[in-house]
Amino acid sequence: MTVWDDLVGQDRVTAQLTAAARDAHAYVKAVTGGEEPELAGSSMTHAWLFTGPPGSGGATAARAFAAALQCVSPDLALGGSPGCGFCDGCHTSLVGTHADVEVIRTDLLTIGVKETRELVRRAQLSPAGGRWQVIVMEDADRLTEGAGNVLLKAVEEPAPRTVWLLCAPSTEDALPTIRSRCRHLALRTPPVDAVADVLVRRDGVEPDVARAAAQATQGHIGRARRIATDEATRARRAAVLAIPARLTDVGGCLRAAQELVDAAAADAKQLAEERDEKETEELRAALGGAEGRRLPRGTAGAMKELEDRQKRRATRTQRDALDLALTDLTAFYRDVLARQFGSGVALAGGESAAAIERLAAASRPEQTLRRMEAILACREALDRNVAPLLAVEAMTMALR
Ligand SMILES: [Zn+2]
């Protein structure tokens, strides 16, 4: 087992990161030995941008690289490859407790100037463990322009042992100024077989279930794992895939839209209940407001700030849940289209194969394309903050 094991179907990226980690270790060794080595010209650099379709593992790659940079395996001295997966450096990096690895994962729609400034300040500190100070930013596409400019300075003039690992869906999602200063690593959608293999090996899923889940999600590992292991996720997906057949009249369209939005809202509410209350209690306690007692004066602002944050997070959770449903619907119509063009590819739908066949026979490819466009338009409307129900209703009407 090594730190790269969770990186499925990304041999080229793994090779590149391994080479970088090797050079990084040589650099640290030289510095420790009193030399003044140069990073320029080596495989290692201070700023990296990981891109890839959702689920391809950009964040996983970044975390594996962070671990390899902190690897302290005794085998390194014998020419071993960094990222053993066993040593203290690898282990603590992967579980998120290494003092010099910070993972920024936001559940908000944007990352603002204030938190970025604070992050940049911490990034300038020397690594406590004497190796690298690593900052993994999982949602670099969510940086506001102002925050991007703050980060830009840090990326342009990094502290000697600071490494920025930024993740975004595509290079277009990263601010151009930042993008141009990062070394870019593009992950590909992992092959269905590789995903199925991981589910069997790591999660103990039955081979045929693993294969169906991998195929249904087209290489999105996290989602494939949830479908293969979580009953509620499977049920929700089945409900989404049953929608196309129900869109026969206006009433059916409006009902389906309402259900989609309600399901997403219920998802958001459940997650919020799990997290908000605990957070609020923790903050109350931190502010000195013991149970049942009034909060000290001057702390209302902090409580309000938390409340606002929780509200924005609920918005994002609901949007993510809707987005997932739209992804499943898109896959459904893509299968319909494949059938209409007589392609022999395996259907992603699996359980909805009969519905796919029926719709393929009963409609024309142009109609299917129009329907896929309607889903895309719904996505774009949601991105523009159109009220979810309005956007989804417009979509289901167009899917009729
Ligand atoms: Zn190690």
Side-chain angles (χ1 to χ4, degrees):
M1 197 204 99
T2 73
V3 296
W4 313 108
D5 281 9
D6 276 347
L7 208 49
V8 182
Q10 312 289 353
D11 296 348
R12 201 177 46 80
V13 166
T14 304
Q16 214 171 331
L17 290 175
T18 306
R22 266 183 202 285
D23 284 357
H25 279 279
Y27 176 85
V28 169
K29 198 170 160 214
V31 170
T32 320
E35 295 170 43
E36 287 179 24
E38 286 280 335
L39 262 196
S42 81
S43 304
M44 179 61 185
T45 185
H46 289 287
W48 299 75
L49 176 63
F50 295 80
T51 64
S56 60
T60 307
R63 279 199 303 269
F65 185 36
L69 290 174
Q70 308 294 4
C71 183
V72 290
S73 162
D75 289 348
L76 286 177
L78 309 169
S81 197
C84 68
F86 281 110
C87 74
D88 197 49
C90 283
H91 181 72
T92 53
S93 299
L94 289 178
V95 299
T97 55
H98 196 292
D100 295 327
V101 178
E102 181 158 10
V103 178
I104 310 299
R105 189 184 298 126
T106 186
D107 41 28
L108 303 180
L109 290 170
T110 56
I111 303 174
V113 170
K114 203 171 130 200
E115 56 252 62
T116 307
R117 227 175 242 140
E118 173 58 22
L119 183 64
V120 165
R121 192 189 61 74
R122 288 200 301 274
Q124 303 298 327
L125 302 175
S126 296
R131 308 191 74 80
W132 300 89
Q133 178 83 329
V134 186
I135 299 102
V136 179
M137 192 180 271
E138 290 197 357
D139 307 282
D141 53 316
R142 293 180 202 267
L143 285 165
T144 63
E145 197 155 345
N149 288 329
V150 173
L151 179 62
L152 182 62
K153 281 232 94 52
V155 172
E156 274 179 331
E157 294 156 26
R161 300 245 218 114
T162 296
V163 188
W164 291 90
L165 307 180
L166 312 176
C167 309
S170 73
T171 51
E172 286 79 42
D173 294 308
L175 296 167
T177 43
I178 303 258
R179 186 170 76 207
S180 63
R181 281 160 183 86
C182 292
R183 193 166 297 169
H184 177 213
L185 285 175
L187 288 98
R188 61 185 189 125
T189 301
V192 168
D193 287 342
V195 173
D197 184 51
V198 165
L199 293 181
V200 172
R201 208 157 32 82
R202 305 222 109 192
D203 303 280
V205 175
E206 291 295 321
D208 48 336
V209 176
R211 182 147 185 98
Q215 205 148 53
T217 53
Q218 298 287 299
H220 190 308
I221 301 166
R223 180 127 173 79
R225 180 171 288 142
R226 272 196 301 284
I227 287 182
T229 57
D230 179 44
E231 186 69 40
T233 305
R234 264 203 301 277
R236 181 147 312 147
R237 182 178 139 80
V240 168
L241 292 175
I243 281 178
R246 295 172 46 205
L247 304 176
T248 49
D249 55 20
V250 174
C253 292
L254 296 183
R255 271 195 303 280
Q258 185 74 56
E259 282 173 26
L260 274 173
V261 173
D262 286 350
D267 255 10
K269 186 157 171 281
Q270 193 199 342
L271 265 175
E273 273 166 6
E274 285 166 15
R275 295 187 297 195
D276 290 5
E277 198 179 331
K278 186 160 165 277
E279 256 175 18
T280 308
E281 274 317 306
E282 281 171 3
L283 183 62
R284 274 187 75 92
L287 293 175
E291 222 170 311
R293 254 196 292 147
R294 279 175 63 97
L295 282 169
R297 281 153 62 109
T299 55
M303 290 305 286
K304 174 83 175 63
E305 199 176 295
L306 177 65
E307 237 168 73
D308 288 347
R309 213 179 100 86
Q310 290 173 338
K311 262 193 213 125
R312 279 180 304 181
R313 185 168 65 193
T315 307
R316 162 145 183 223
T317 316
Q318 182 174 359
R319 197 180 286 185
D320 285 352
L322 260 184
D323 202 57
L324 223 50
L326 297 185
T327 305
D328 282 341
L329 274 179
T330 306
F332 177 91
Y333 288 109
R334 193 188 48 218
D335 280 355
V336 171
L337 195 64
R339 266 296 170 268
Q340 288 171 328
F341 283 130
S343 144
V345 294
L347 294 181
E351 65 277 32
S352 51
I356 290 169
E357 300 290 358
R358 260 200 311 278
L359 192 57
S363 60
R364 294 187 313 278
E366 306 84 78
Q367 283 172 296
T368 310
L369 283 169
R370 254 204 319 279
R371 287 172 171 142
M372 293 172 81
E373 274 161 25
I375 302 175
L376 189 64
C378 177
R379 271 225 163 92
E380 286 167 358
L382 291 171
D383 275 346
R384 289 195 312 272
N385 288 321
V386 171
L389 187 58
L390 273 184
V392 176
E393 277 177 357
M395 176 189 78
T396 52
M397 293 293 280
L399 290 178
R400 200 154 40 124

